[in-house]
Amino acid sequence: MIGELCQRLLIIKMVGMDRSDIVSSVIFLLIAAAVYAIYVCIQRLGIVYQFFHKVDETSTRNGGELVAEVLKSHGIKYLFTLCGGHVSPVLVGAEKAGIRVVDVRHEATSVFAADAVARLSGTVGAAVVTAGPGLTNTVTAVKNAQMAESPLLLMGGAAVTLLKGRGALQDIDQMCLFKPICKFTATIRYIREIKPTLRKALSIAQSGTPGPVFVEFPIDTLYPYQIVSKEINPKKPANKKSSIGQKITDWYLNNYLKNLHAGAWEERDSSPLPVYRPMASPSEVQTSAEYVSRCKKPVILLGSQSTLPPTPVDQLRKSLEILGIPCFLGGMSRGLLGKNSPIHIRQRRRDALKEADVVILVGMVCDFRLGYGRVLNRKSKIIAVNRNMEQLYKNSDMFWKPSIAIQGDPASFIVELQKKLDGYKCDTEWVSTLKERDMEKEKTNSDQAQQITNVHLNPLKILHCLDELLPSDSVLVADGGDFVGSAAYIVRPDGPLRWLDPGAFGTLGVGAGFALGAKLCRPDAEVWIIYGDGSLGYSVAEFDTFTRHK
């Protein structure tokens, strides 16, 4: 870039100049380029920074303590892991800070558990794993969190910065794996970067459309000065003279070590940064209210995004009950209206959508779960609300068109819509019609559950029995394919945030991790895993984890 700029300046100046002027210009540009190169070199070596920020070579502190301080100040109570040498200081620091460290049997489980904590607590879920295979084992779980829109912090170990690409143990290009599936990725280069980088990562994880973030910690950024110094500068025989090349190398390594620790333990803010959440504008709420006030057959479809902060789920539930509009619940919103709500419709959704004159998609996406939008009536007024612009318009170029598309927080939108529609009440005849159909389908399912099977058990019978036996505060974790698909239409959570399923990615193996996270968030509740016979195999080793952590 600098060379190209010099070349262009040179061509401009050469026009109409004699030879001496050209030579002078070339010399000037070469000197300028050399000065700039030296400046860049000094900056990269941190020489100026070290002059103003000294290194405490006697300190026994380590980067893991700084990680723990940030996690603690952000209200993170649990850190999930499968222990490895690259990241051990983080685990020790977290434990000393009062953060509960939960070690599991597979790295994917640690991320699934953090995902569950994020969904149920409204904070960021946190996991830390070792380098190389430790991180590659989490890729599926991180992608699941991205598609489920869960705010998640994954921290991973890495080889020493100076040894990257040189064949160090478990050294691979980890960033290329996580950049496509994370909202934010960063590598810590100096210990002084730990706090600001983690604060930024945690803010981004929760802002806009929530999702996973990844921060990589080279092993030398986590251990104390003396330990790193011994590895970087091993003792040499006293009688051996160093060559000029060796002296330059020694100086470079020593400078790297000092720059790594320069200003490491200066006071830095670890408190949370602001979190940005898009909100519907007053005009968008007003237009939506006008649509609803003129309709006769409205329905609301709620997805997982409707349970995200900042609106409490109880406030959302109250607004829905005041509106009285029939609701279909999906994902994390299952259980939002309780077990026997008169406006909660579970069956024959397709029929209701074909008849509805207004459909409100509250964090619900027109993907395969809604037939890519084909189940929507083209004559209906469709109000779509989603934090994610891409999801807001998913497949709108093919099978459906929103009458009004609102990029904003879905739950907050419903609360504001209800305020605008003060005094509104949905047509009771429309609600009764949908409820009657609902009960007819429930009766059909119940009859099928009574059928005698030639071999094995009737899965619908099992699910009906489970629904009758579950205590009211139970949390249900769904991990499987067909069995879980049936469970979604039969088993009824008794309250909000009591149902956990993978989400749009349909990942098998979430069961143990989700259950761990759920039990930590709700220690007094019974946590049930609804396993398919295939999905159980992915996390059966975690029964040991359940036992160890009681």
Side-chain angles (χ1 to χ4, degrees):
M1 180 178 171
I2 296 298
E4 186 179 340
L5 178 62
C6 290
Q7 187 179 24
R8 289 181 180 180
L9 289 171
L10 194 59
I11 291 170
I12 292 169
K13 290 179 72 68
M14 282 174 64
V15 178
M17 295 172 61
D18 58 31
R19 181 172 295 183
S20 62
D21 289 335
I22 292 173
V23 171
S24 299
S25 298
V26 170
I27 293 172
F28 172 79
L29 288 172
L30 288 174
I31 292 172
V35 170
Y36 180 78
I38 293 170
Y39 169 78
V40 171
C41 186
I42 289 173
Q43 284 291 102
R44 289 187 177 180
L45 291 172
I47 294 171
V48 175
Y49 188 88
Q50 291 175 56
F51 182 79
F52 294 100
H53 304 270
K54 300 303 180 183
V55 177
D56 184 359
E57 298 182 12
T58 63
S59 175
T60 58
R61 297 190 66 185
N62 62 71
E65 297 174 17
L66 301 181
V67 174
E69 285 178 27
V70 177
L71 298 184
K72 185 80 172 177
S73 65
H74 283 71
I76 294 173
K77 298 179 180 178
Y78 313 107
L79 181 61
F80 300 94
T81 188
L82 197 161
C83 187
H86 285 82
V87 295
S88 291
V90 175
L91 306 178
V92 175
E95 200 165 61
K96 286 181 178 177
I99 299 170
R100 182 169 178 179
V101 176
V102 181
D103 56 313
V104 299
R105 291 301 185 186
H106 194 285
E107 287 88 355
T109 301
S110 68
V111 176
F112 287 136
D115 186 338
V117 167
R119 298 189 196 191
L120 295 180
S121 69
T123 59
V124 179
V128 59
V129 296
T130 199
L135 274 161
T136 59
N137 278 344
T138 69
V139 170
T140 297
V142 173
K143 181 63 182 180
N144 191 81
Q146 180 202 34
M147 294 189 68
E149 299 174 348
S150 298
L152 178 80
L153 169 64
L154 174 64
M155 297 173 286
V160 174
T161 303
L162 291 175
L163 296 179
K164 283 190 175 184
R166 297 178 180 273
L169 175 67
Q170 299 179 332
D171 179 31
I172 60 169
D173 184 355
Q174 298 171 161
M175 303 306 285
C176 73
L177 291 174
F178 291 97
K179 280 182 179 178
I181 59 175
C182 290
K183 293 183 68 182
F184 171 81
T185 58
T187 298
I188 301 298
R189 299 169 302 165
Y190 316 108
I191 295 173
R192 58 183 177 269
E193 292 182 339
I194 290 177
K195 281 192 175 184
T197 302
L198 284 178
R199 292 176 73 212
K200 181 179 179 181
L202 288 162
S203 174
I204 291 174
Q206 301 170 84
S207 294
T209 305
V213 293
F214 171 62
V215 180
E216 178 185 74
F217 291 85
I219 190 169
D220 50 332
T221 64
L222 291 177
Y223 280 84
Y225 183 94
Q226 294 299 328
I227 292 177
V228 178
S229 178
K230 288 178 182 178
E231 294 297 320
I232 288 181
N233 295 312
K235 286 186 176 180
K236 302 177 182 66
N239 58 350
K240 186 177 180 181
K241 291 185 177 180
S242 298
S243 64
I244 294 176
Q246 184 61 53
K247 287 180 179 178
I248 293 173
T249 301
D250 290 344
W251 176 87
Y252 177 79
L253 292 175
N254 189 55
N255 180 76
Y256 169 81
L257 176 64
K258 290 184 179 299
N259 193 27
L260 179 68
H261 287 262
W265 315 120
E266 294 173 4
E267 278 297 319
R268 288 184 176 85
D269 192 4
S270 60
S271 62
L273 292 170
V275 173
Y276 167 71
R277 297 183 177 102
M279 294 292 173
S281 69
S283 62
E284 289 171 330
V285 176
Q286 179 63 39
T287 303
S288 302
E290 290 170 5
Y291 284 153
V292 174
S293 64
R294 293 195 294 263
C295 74
K296 293 183 178 179
K297 296 180 178 181
V299 294
I300 298 177
L301 276 62
L302 293 103
S304 297
Q305 208 180 87
S306 61
T307 64
L308 291 173
T311 300
V313 286
D314 290 336
Q315 187 178 356
L316 172 61
R317 175 178 179 169
K318 183 179 178 181
S319 294
L320 290 170
E321 289 173 342
I322 293 171
L323 287 170
I325 298 174
C327 296
F328 291 90
L329 309 177
M332 285 295 296
S333 72
R334 295 182 192 276
L336 179 64
L337 295 169
K339 204 164 187 175
N340 298 298
S341 170
I343 61 170
H344 179 201
I345 314 298
R346 302 201 305 163
Q347 314 292 348
R348 297 181 63 176
R349 183 175 69 181
R350 184 182 293 264
D351 293 338
L353 292 174
K354 288 299 181 186
E355 293 179 38
D357 52 7
V358 167
V359 177
I360 308 177
L361 302 177
V362 185
M364 184 70 79
V365 183
C366 287
D367 54 16
F368 69 93
R369 292 166 291 187
L370 283 179
Y372 308 97
R374 281 178 291 198
V375 298
L376 299 172
N377 186 347
R378 288 187 177 271
K379 294 181 181 179
S380 301
K381 294 290 186 183
I382 300 172
I383 303 167
V385 192
N386 201 293
R387 291 191 185 190
N388 187 306
M389 184 64 77
E390 183 181 343
Q391 300 286 56
L392 185 61
Y393 288 98
K394 181 78 77 176
N395 296 309
S396 63
D397 58 333
M398 294 177 65
F399 303 116
W400 72 289
K401 289 286 182 186
S403 304
I404 178 169
I406 302 168
Q407 186 180 14
D409 177 61
S412 302
F413 166 79
I414 287 294
V415 172
E416 292 304 312
L417 179 67
Q418 181 267 310
K419 292 177 182 177
K420 282 284 184 185
L421 290 167
D422 187 32
Y424 167 86
K425 200 67 178 176
C426 184
D427 180 24
T428 55
E429 187 176 339
W430 168 240
V431 179
S432 299
T433 299
L434 296 186
K435 199 64 178 178
E436 285 171 10
R437 293 177 188 172
D438 193 49
M439 293 173 68
E440 288 173 6
K441 180 60 176 172
E442 295 275 11
K443 178 68 166 58
T444 302
N445 290 342
S446 182
D447 291 342
Q448 290 178 333
Q450 301 307 317
Q451 293 179 8
I452 305 299
T453 54
N454 294 326
V455 292
H456 307 306
L457 301 171
N458 183 329
L460 301 184
K461 176 72 171 178
I462 294 170
L463 293 169
H464 274 93
C465 290
L466 177 62
D467 187 52
E468 293 173 9
L469 291 169
L470 285 173
S472 60
D473 66 345
S474 297
V475 178
L476 305 173
V477 174
D479 184 9
D482 293 337
F483 190 53
V484 166
S486 298
Y489 289 98
I490 293 173
V491 182
R492 294 168 294 174
D494 200 29
L497 301 179
R498 294 179 191 171
W499 173 277
L500 290 162
D501 64 28
F505 204 30
T507 309
L508 297 187
V510 302
F514 278 13
L516 275 171
K519 189 63 180 178
L520 287 165
C521 291
R522 308 279 176 80
D524 297 327
E526 287 190 5
V527 178
W528 288 71
I529 309 176
I530 302 172
Y531 270 126
D533 57 344
S535 64
L536 171 63
Y538 284 97
S539 58
V540 70
E542 303 300 349
F543 279 66
D544 164 72
T545 306
F546 299 155
T547 304
R548 283 186 294 109
H549 291 281
K550 298 180 170 55

